[in-house]
PDB file of all heavy atoms in Angstrom:
ATOM      1  N   SER I  91      64.151 101.333 126.554  1.00 84.00           N
ATOM      2  CA  SER I  91      64.445  99.950 126.941  1.00 84.00           C
ATOM      3  C   SER I  91      64.476  99.018 125.736  1.00 84.00           C
ATOM      4  O   SER I  91      65.234  98.051 125.725  1.00 84.00           O
ATOM      5  CB  SER I  91      63.431  99.460 127.972  1.00 84.00           C
ATOM      6  OG  SER I  91      62.153  99.369 127.391  1.00 84.00           O
ATOM      7  N   PHE I  92      63.694  99.312 124.707  1.00 85.00           N
ATOM      8  CA  PHE I  92      63.714  98.469 123.513  1.00 85.00           C
ATOM      9  C   PHE I  92      65.010  98.611 122.719  1.00 85.00           C
ATOM     10  O   PHE I  92      65.298  97.796 121.859  1.00 85.00           O
ATOM     11  CB  PHE I  92      62.507  98.758 122.617  1.00 85.00           C
ATOM     12  CG  PHE I  92      61.228  98.188 123.152  1.00 85.00           C
ATOM     13  CD1 PHE I  92      60.130  98.995 123.350  1.00 85.00           C
ATOM     14  CD2 PHE I  92      61.133  96.853 123.474  1.00 85.00           C
ATOM     15  CE1 PHE I  92      58.955  98.476 123.849  1.00 85.00           C
ATOM     16  CE2 PHE I  92      59.971  96.316 123.979  1.00 85.00           C
ATOM     17  CZ  PHE I  92      58.876  97.129 124.169  1.00 85.00           C
ATOM     18  N   PHE I  93      65.792  99.627 123.037  1.00 84.00           N
ATOM     19  CA  PHE I  93      67.092  99.794 122.398  1.00 84.00           C
ATOM     20  C   PHE I  93      68.053  98.669 122.798  1.00 84.00           C
ATOM     21  O   PHE I  93      68.949  98.307 122.041  1.00 84.00           O
ATOM     22  CB  PHE I  93      67.657 101.166 122.785  1.00 84.00           C
ATOM     23  CG  PHE I  93      68.899 101.545 122.062  1.00 84.00           C
ATOM     24  CD1 PHE I  93      68.904 101.707 120.690  1.00 84.00           C
ATOM     25  CD2 PHE I  93      70.073 101.752 122.751  1.00 84.00           C
ATOM     26  CE1 PHE I  93      70.045 102.060 120.021  1.00 84.00           C
ATOM     27  CE2 PHE I  93      71.223 102.112 122.096  1.00 84.00           C
ATOM     28  CZ  PHE I  93      71.211 102.262 120.719  1.00 84.00           C
ATOM     29  N   ALA I  94      67.861  98.102 123.996  1.00 87.00           N
ATOM     30  CA  ALA I  94      68.747  97.040 124.482  1.00 87.00           C
ATOM     31  C   ALA I  94      68.256  95.645 124.143  1.00 87.00           C
ATOM     32  O   ALA I  94      69.000  94.684 124.305  1.00 87.00           O
ATOM     33  CB  ALA I  94      68.907  97.159 125.991  1.00 87.00           C
ATOM     34  N   VAL I  95      67.050  95.510 123.666  1.00 88.00           N
ATOM     35  CA  VAL I  95      66.485  94.194 123.371  1.00 88.00           C
ATOM     36  C   VAL I  95      67.283  93.419 122.316  1.00 88.00           C
ATOM     37  O   VAL I  95      67.510  92.223 122.490  1.00 88.00           O
ATOM     38  CB  VAL I  95      64.994  94.320 122.981  1.00 88.00           C
ATOM     39  CG1 VAL I  95      64.451  93.035 122.395  1.00 88.00           C
ATOM     40  CG2 VAL I  95      64.187  94.728 124.193  1.00 88.00           C
ATOM     41  N   PRO I  96      67.753  94.044 121.231  1.00 89.00           N
ATOM     42  CA  PRO I  96      68.504  93.257 120.246  1.00 89.00           C
ATOM     43  C   PRO I  96      69.770  92.608 120.808  1.00 89.00           C
ATOM     44  O   PRO I  96      70.069  91.464 120.479  1.00 89.00           O
ATOM     45  CB  PRO I  96      68.855  94.265 119.161  1.00 89.00           C
ATOM     46  CG  PRO I  96      67.840  95.318 119.268  1.00 89.00           C
ATOM     47  CD  PRO I  96      67.489  95.390 120.718  1.00 89.00           C
ATOM     48  N   LEU I  97      70.493  93.307 121.679  1.00 88.00           N
ATOM     49  CA  LEU I  97      71.699  92.727 122.265  1.00 88.00           C
ATOM     50  C   LEU I  97      71.361  91.530 123.137  1.00 88.00           C
ATOM     51  O   LEU I  97      71.992  90.469 123.025  1.00 88.00           O
ATOM     52  CB  LEU I  97      72.460  93.764 123.092  1.00 88.00           C
ATOM     53  CG  LEU I  97      73.681  93.218 123.831  1.00 88.00           C
ATOM     54  CD1 LEU I  97      74.787  92.902 122.853  1.00 88.00           C
ATOM     55  CD2 LEU I  97      74.140  94.180 124.886  1.00 88.00           C
ATOM     56  N   LEU I  98      70.360  91.678 123.990  1.00 87.00           N
ATOM     57  CA  LEU I  98      69.981  90.568 124.866  1.00 87.00           C
ATOM     58  C   LEU I  98      69.405  89.403 124.075  1.00 87.00           C
ATOM     59  O   LEU I  98      69.696  88.235 124.365  1.00 87.00           O
ATOM     60  CB  LEU I  98      68.991  91.057 125.920  1.00 87.00           C
ATOM     61  CG  LEU I  98      69.537  92.123 126.880  1.00 87.00           C
ATOM     62  CD1 LEU I  98      68.426  92.665 127.756  1.00 87.00           C
ATOM     63  CD2 LEU I  98      70.667  91.569 127.705  1.00 87.00           C
ATOM     64  N   ALA I  99      68.614  89.702 123.050  1.00 89.00           N
ATOM     65  CA  ALA I  99      68.058  88.635 122.205  1.00 89.00           C
ATOM     66  C   ALA I  99      69.163  87.908 121.450  1.00 89.00           C
ATOM     67  O   ALA I  99      69.132  86.684 121.310  1.00 89.00           O
ATOM     68  CB  ALA I  99      67.037  89.226 121.232  1.00 89.00           C
ATOM     69  N   TYR I 100      70.153  88.659 120.980  1.00 88.00           N
ATOM     70  CA  TYR I 100      71.275  88.034 120.276  1.00 88.00           C
ATOM     71  C   TYR I 100      72.058  87.123 121.212  1.00 88.00           C
ATOM     72  O   TYR I 100      72.379  85.988 120.864  1.00 88.00           O
ATOM     73  CB  TYR I 100      72.197  89.102 119.683  1.00 88.00           C
ATOM     74  CG  TYR I 100      73.422  88.524 119.035  1.00 88.00           C
ATOM     75  CD1 TYR I 100      73.358  87.986 117.764  1.00 88.00           C
ATOM     76  CD2 TYR I 100      74.637  88.500 119.711  1.00 88.00           C
ATOM     77  CE1 TYR I 100      74.478  87.430 117.175  1.00 88.00           C
ATOM     78  CE2 TYR I 100      75.761  87.954 119.127  1.00 88.00           C
ATOM     79  CZ  TYR I 100      75.678  87.420 117.852  1.00 88.00           C
ATOM     80  OH  TYR I 100      76.782  86.874 117.278  1.00 88.00           O
ATOM     81  N   ASN I 101      72.373  87.613 122.399  1.00 84.00           N
ATOM     82  CA  ASN I 101      73.166  86.807 123.330  1.00 84.00           C
ATOM     83  C   ASN I 101      72.446  85.538 123.757  1.00 84.00           C
ATOM     84  O   ASN I 101      73.013  84.443 123.698  1.00 84.00           O
ATOM     85  CB  ASN I 101      73.542  87.632 124.562  1.00 84.00           C
ATOM     86  CG  ASN I 101      74.626  88.632 124.266  1.00 84.00           C
ATOM     87  OD1 ASN I 101      75.354  88.520 123.295  1.00 84.00           O
ATOM     88  ND2 ASN I 101      74.735  89.625 125.125  1.00 84.00           N
ATOM     89  N   PHE I 102      71.196  85.663 124.169  1.00 82.00           N
ATOM     90  CA  PHE I 102      70.478  84.482 124.635  1.00 82.00           C
ATOM     91  C   PHE I 102      70.042  83.589 123.480  1.00 82.00           C
ATOM     92  O   PHE I 102      70.010  82.370 123.616  1.00 82.00           O
ATOM     93  CB  PHE I 102      69.297  84.897 125.506  1.00 82.00           C
ATOM     94  CG  PHE I 102      69.714  85.401 126.848  1.00 82.00           C
ATOM     95  CD1 PHE I 102      69.709  86.749 127.130  1.00 82.00           C
ATOM     96  CD2 PHE I 102      70.158  84.530 127.824  1.00 82.00           C
ATOM     97  CE1 PHE I 102      70.119  87.222 128.356  1.00 82.00           C
ATOM     98  CE2 PHE I 102      70.573  84.987 129.057  1.00 82.00           C
ATOM     99  CZ  PHE I 102      70.550  86.337 129.331  1.00 82.00           C
ATOM    100  N   GLY I 103      69.724  84.169 122.330  1.00 84.00           N
ATOM    101  CA  GLY I 103      69.386  83.350 121.160  1.00 84.00           C
ATOM    102  C   GLY I 103      70.576  82.569 120.637  1.00 84.00           C
ATOM    103  O   GLY I 103      70.461  81.394 120.289  1.00 84.00           O
ATOM    104  N   THR I 104      71.725  83.205 120.595  1.00 82.00           N
ATOM    105  CA  THR I 104      72.932  82.509 120.164  1.00 82.00           C
ATOM    106  C   THR I 104      73.308  81.429 121.155  1.00 82.00           C
ATOM    107  O   THR I 104      73.763  80.351 120.771  1.00 82.00           O
ATOM    108  CB  THR I 104      74.093  83.516 119.999  1.00 82.00           C
ATOM    109  OG1 THR I 104      73.688  84.533 119.089  1.00 82.00           O
ATOM    110  CG2 THR I 104      75.329  82.844 119.462  1.00 82.00           C
ATOM    111  N   MET I 105      73.107  81.694 122.432  1.00 79.00           N
ATOM    112  CA  MET I 105      73.386  80.693 123.451  1.00 79.00           C
ATOM    113  C   MET I 105      72.545  79.440 123.225  1.00 79.00           C
ATOM    114  O   MET I 105      73.042  78.324 123.331  1.00 79.00           O
ATOM    115  CB  MET I 105      73.086  81.264 124.832  1.00 79.00           C
ATOM    116  CG  MET I 105      73.154  80.231 125.943  1.00 79.00           C
ATOM    117  SD  MET I 105      72.305  80.735 127.437  1.00 79.00           S
ATOM    118  CE  MET I 105      70.612  80.718 126.930  1.00 79.00           C
ATOM    119  N   LEU I 106      71.286  79.618 122.858  1.00 77.00           N
ATOM    120  CA  LEU I 106      70.406  78.469 122.657  1.00 77.00           C
ATOM    121  C   LEU I 106      70.766  77.680 121.398  1.00 77.00           C
ATOM    122  O   LEU I 106      70.542  76.481 121.327  1.00 77.00           O
ATOM    123  CB  LEU I 106      68.954  78.937 122.586  1.00 77.00           C
ATOM    124  CG  LEU I 106      68.381  79.468 123.885  1.00 77.00           C
ATOM    125  CD1 LEU I 106      66.994  80.032 123.650  1.00 77.00           C
ATOM    126  CD2 LEU I 106      68.355  78.387 124.946  1.00 77.00           C
ATOM    127  N   LEU I 107      71.324  78.360 120.404  1.00 79.00           N
ATOM    128  CA  LEU I 107      71.662  77.688 119.157  1.00 79.00           C
ATOM    129  C   LEU I 107      73.038  77.042 119.155  1.00 79.00           C
ATOM    130  O   LEU I 107      73.328  76.215 118.299  1.00 79.00           O
ATOM    131  CB  LEU I 107      71.560  78.673 117.991  1.00 79.00           C
ATOM    132  CG  LEU I 107      70.164  79.217 117.719  1.00 79.00           C
ATOM    133  CD1 LEU I 107      70.210  80.280 116.642  1.00 79.00           C
ATOM    134  CD2 LEU I 107      69.222  78.094 117.333  1.00 79.00           C
ATOM    135  N   LEU I 108      73.889  77.415 120.106  1.00 73.00           N
ATOM    136  CA  LEU I 108      75.234  76.846 120.147  1.00 73.00           C
ATOM    137  C   LEU I 108      75.194  75.404 120.636  1.00 73.00           C
ATOM    138  O   LEU I 108      74.378  75.033 121.464  1.00 73.00           O
ATOM    139  CB  LEU I 108      76.127  77.651 121.083  1.00 73.00           C
ATOM    140  CG  LEU I 108      76.613  78.990 120.567  1.00 73.00           C
ATOM    141  CD1 LEU I 108      77.451  79.671 121.637  1.00 73.00           C
ATOM    142  CD2 LEU I 108      77.433  78.838 119.314  1.00 73.00           C
ATOM    143  N   THR I 109      76.113  74.623 120.131  1.00 63.00           N
ATOM    144  CA  THR I 109      76.226  73.244 120.607  1.00 63.00           C
ATOM    145  C   THR I 109      77.440  73.058 121.493  1.00 63.00           C
ATOM    146  O   THR I 109      77.697  71.972 121.970  1.00 63.00           O
ATOM    147  CB  THR I 109      76.316  72.278 119.415  1.00 63.00           C
ATOM    148  OG1 THR I 109      77.436  72.660 118.611  1.00 63.00           O
ATOM    149  CG2 THR I 109      75.051  72.312 118.603  1.00 63.00           C
ATOM    150  N   GLY I 110      78.198  74.107 121.694  1.00 63.00           N
ATOM    151  CA  GLY I 110      79.367  74.036 122.563  1.00 63.00           C
ATOM    152  C   GLY I 110      79.695  75.432 123.065  1.00 63.00           C
ATOM    153  O   GLY I 110      79.093  76.414 122.669  1.00 63.00           O
ATOM    154  N   ALA I 111      80.673  75.496 123.932  1.00 61.00           N
ATOM    155  CA  ALA I 111      81.080  76.781 124.501  1.00 61.00           C
ATOM    156  C   ALA I 111      81.983  77.491 123.495  1.00 61.00           C
ATOM    157  O   ALA I 111      83.192  77.385 123.540  1.00 61.00           O
ATOM    158  CB  ALA I 111      81.788  76.564 125.820  1.00 61.00           C
ATOM    159  N   ASP I 112      81.386  78.196 122.558  1.00 69.00           N
ATOM    160  CA  ASP I 112      82.134  78.878 121.511  1.00 69.00           C
ATOM    161  C   ASP I 112      82.004  80.371 121.720  1.00 69.00           C
ATOM    162  O   ASP I 112      80.949  80.953 121.515  1.00 69.00           O
ATOM    163  CB  ASP I 112      81.589  78.472 120.146  1.00 69.00           C
ATOM    164  CG  ASP I 112      82.574  78.735 119.036  1.00 69.00           C
ATOM    165  OD1 ASP I 112      83.643  79.302 119.327  1.00 69.00           O
ATOM    166  OD2 ASP I 112      82.291  78.382 117.890  1.00 69.00           O
ATOM    167  N   PHE I 113      83.082  80.994 122.125  1.00 73.00           N
ATOM    168  CA  PHE I 113      83.079  82.380 122.553  1.00 73.00           C
ATOM    169  C   PHE I 113      83.081  83.368 121.393  1.00 73.00           C
ATOM    170  O   PHE I 113      82.703  84.507 121.556  1.00 73.00           O
ATOM    171  CB  PHE I 113      84.325  82.597 123.427  1.00 73.00           C
ATOM    172  CG  PHE I 113      84.287  83.824 124.270  1.00 73.00           C
ATOM    173  CD1 PHE I 113      83.564  83.845 125.432  1.00 73.00           C
ATOM    174  CD2 PHE I 113      84.993  84.946 123.914  1.00 73.00           C
ATOM    175  CE1 PHE I 113      83.534  84.967 126.231  1.00 73.00           C
ATOM    176  CE2 PHE I 113      84.977  86.073 124.692  1.00 73.00           C
ATOM    177  CZ  PHE I 113      84.241  86.072 125.858  1.00 73.00           C
TER     178      PHE I 113
END
Side-chain angles (χ1 to χ4, degrees):
S91 67
F92 285 125
F93 188 63
V95 168
L97 176 71
L98 297 172
Y100 176 80
N101 285 341
F102 287 104
T104 304
M105 172 199 68
L106 291 174
L107 296 174
L108 285 178
T109 57
D112 200 356
F113 197 79

